[in-house]
Amino acid sequence: MGKVISIANQKGGVGKTTTAVNLSACLAYLDYKVLLVDIDPQGNATSGVGVDKGEMEQCIYNVLVDGVEARQVRTSTQVSNLDAIPATIQLAGAEIELVPTISREVHLKKSIDQIKHEYDYVIIDCPPSLGLLTLNSLTASDTVLIPVQCEYYALEGLSQLLNTVRLVQKHLNRQLMIEGVLLTMLDARTNLGIQVIEEVKKYFQDKVYRSIIPRNVRLSEAPSHGRPAILYDAKSRGAEVYLELAKEVIVNGERVR
Ligand code: ADP
Ligand code: MG
């Protein structure tokens, strides 16, 4: 049965989408069947794996709001072993349209439960908020992976996120666990990065991945080519470290089981 992992942090620009796209692609590269679910109205994960948003007649919006089956909206991607459920700007209305609906936090879980057995991993790219879309994602997930950018105030806002995780555990999804904390965009030339690493490790201890994502220009270029780094430039440091991360995620999962 597929393991469902939310990539979440309500801060924007911390590397959620980059992580969702590259972790998904690296797991697929390692021969696992992966489904990438985009629930950010910006749809950057969708275009990051080469899916043309303009060509999609339906997207995750129709799954969440109209009850269309996930299977009908899913599409293949540039990466073998990797399917995606795309998001388009249409999703921007969902946050409000879901409010008056029954069991508004469990729509995504219901639809993902129907197809997760076809995959080894389902990776969900969350929007930069703790609203209904992120709540749907946390409710549908086994675990949450939290990217943290190596910069000043790295830990700021994380207590809010952890609080939301606890509320979801209490009311919506007892099983939800922290998958891990991923340090991103490390600039090895500064001392600040090292300080942040120590601070985050002190707080999250063994939940912090050994793989630390460096600032790497290939990771920021790859999306404009519609390709994850492992396809765009497999020898880049960015691609290498995301591959290491994928292996850590696999091994950690085996240890828990
Ligand atoms: P989020 O989804 O949390 O908003 P993104 O993954 O979209 O964050 O990243 C924000 C910006 O930073 C994007 O332009 C992305 O290409 C860039 N970026 C993300 N990770 C890295 C990295 N490790 N090195 C260089 N640029 C990065
Ligand atoms: Mg994003």
Side-chain angles (χ1 to χ4, degrees):
M1 188 62 104
K3 179 177 193 181
V4 185
I5 305 177
S6 282
I7 314 293
N9 185 332
Q10 77 275 23
K11 259 199 213 179
V14 297
K16 285 182 294 298
T17 300
T18 305
T19 298
V21 164
N22 287 289
L23 174 60
S24 296
C26 288
L27 289 167
Y29 176 84
L30 293 169
D31 256 356
Y32 290 88
K33 285 278 296 164
V34 184
L35 176 67
L36 173 62
V37 181
D38 192 354
I39 60 156
D40 184 349
Q42 293 183 34
N44 292 339
T46 301
S47 40
V49 291
V51 173
D52 185 348
K53 285 181 266 183
E55 285 194 354
M56 299 308 302
E57 275 171 28
Q58 291 186 311
C59 79
I60 188 72
Y61 170 88
N62 306 92
V63 174
L64 289 170
V65 177
D66 301 332
V68 171
E69 272 188 38
R71 206 172 272 118
Q72 280 178 267
V73 179
R74 133 183 90 183
T75 172
S76 57
T77 70
Q78 296 275 339
V79 188
S80 59
N81 288 329
L82 177 61
D83 291 342
I85 297 187
T88 67
I89 192 65
Q90 196 184 11
L91 184 61
E95 195 95 44
I96 292 159
E97 286 170 69
L98 283 172
V99 171
T101 63
I102 295 170
S103 314
R104 57 196 183 182
E105 297 92 355
V106 300
H107 290 237
L108 186 65
K109 177 181 169 52
K110 279 186 185 156
S111 45
I112 285 184
D113 279 354
Q114 286 173 3
I115 50 168
K116 67 180 182 187
H117 63 274
E118 296 179 33
Y119 297 93
D120 298 302
Y121 292 94
V122 178
I123 308 287
I124 311 175
D125 185 30
C126 291
S129 81
L130 293 173
L132 262 182
L133 289 169
T134 297
L135 284 181
N136 263 273
S137 185
L138 294 175
T139 303
S141 293
D142 297 301
T143 62
V144 51
L145 189 157
I146 306 171
V148 172
Q149 189 181 347
C150 296
E151 51 141 33
Y152 253 133
Y153 307 122
L155 290 169
E156 198 186 60
L158 283 180
S159 57
Q160 242 177 313
L161 174 60
L162 295 177
N163 217 10
T164 302
V165 169
R166 274 190 290 271
L167 283 172
V168 170
Q169 285 167 334
K170 193 163 170 209
H171 299 289
L172 295 161
N173 179 8
R174 219 171 271 279
Q175 266 79 313
L176 181 66
M177 297 203 309
I178 306 276
E179 178 71 38
V181 174
L182 177 67
L183 290 155
T184 64
M185 294 186 234
L186 175 66
D187 185 345
R189 292 167 305 182
T190 69
N191 292 330
L192 173 65
I194 311 295
Q195 282 171 27
V196 173
I197 292 172
E198 280 173 10
E199 200 184 348
V200 171
K201 280 191 173 160
K202 209 155 88 190
Y203 194 78
F204 285 102
Q205 308 199 349
D206 61 352
K207 279 286 168 198
V208 182
Y209 290 106
R210 270 176 284 120
S211 311
I212 296 177
I213 310 300
R215 227 174 231 294
N216 178 258
V217 68
R218 291 289 187 256
L219 287 172
S220 54
E221 287 170 0
S224 64
H225 299 266
R227 301 177 120 199
I230 191 92
L231 291 191
Y232 176 62
D233 182 355
K235 291 206 159 61
S236 64
R237 192 68 192 129
E240 281 175 3
V241 180
Y242 270 111
L243 194 57
E244 282 172 25
L245 172 70
K247 290 175 185 167
E248 266 193 82
V249 168
I250 294 162
V251 170
N252 289 355
E254 280 163 2
R255 211 166 40 206
V256 172
R257 253 173 232 156

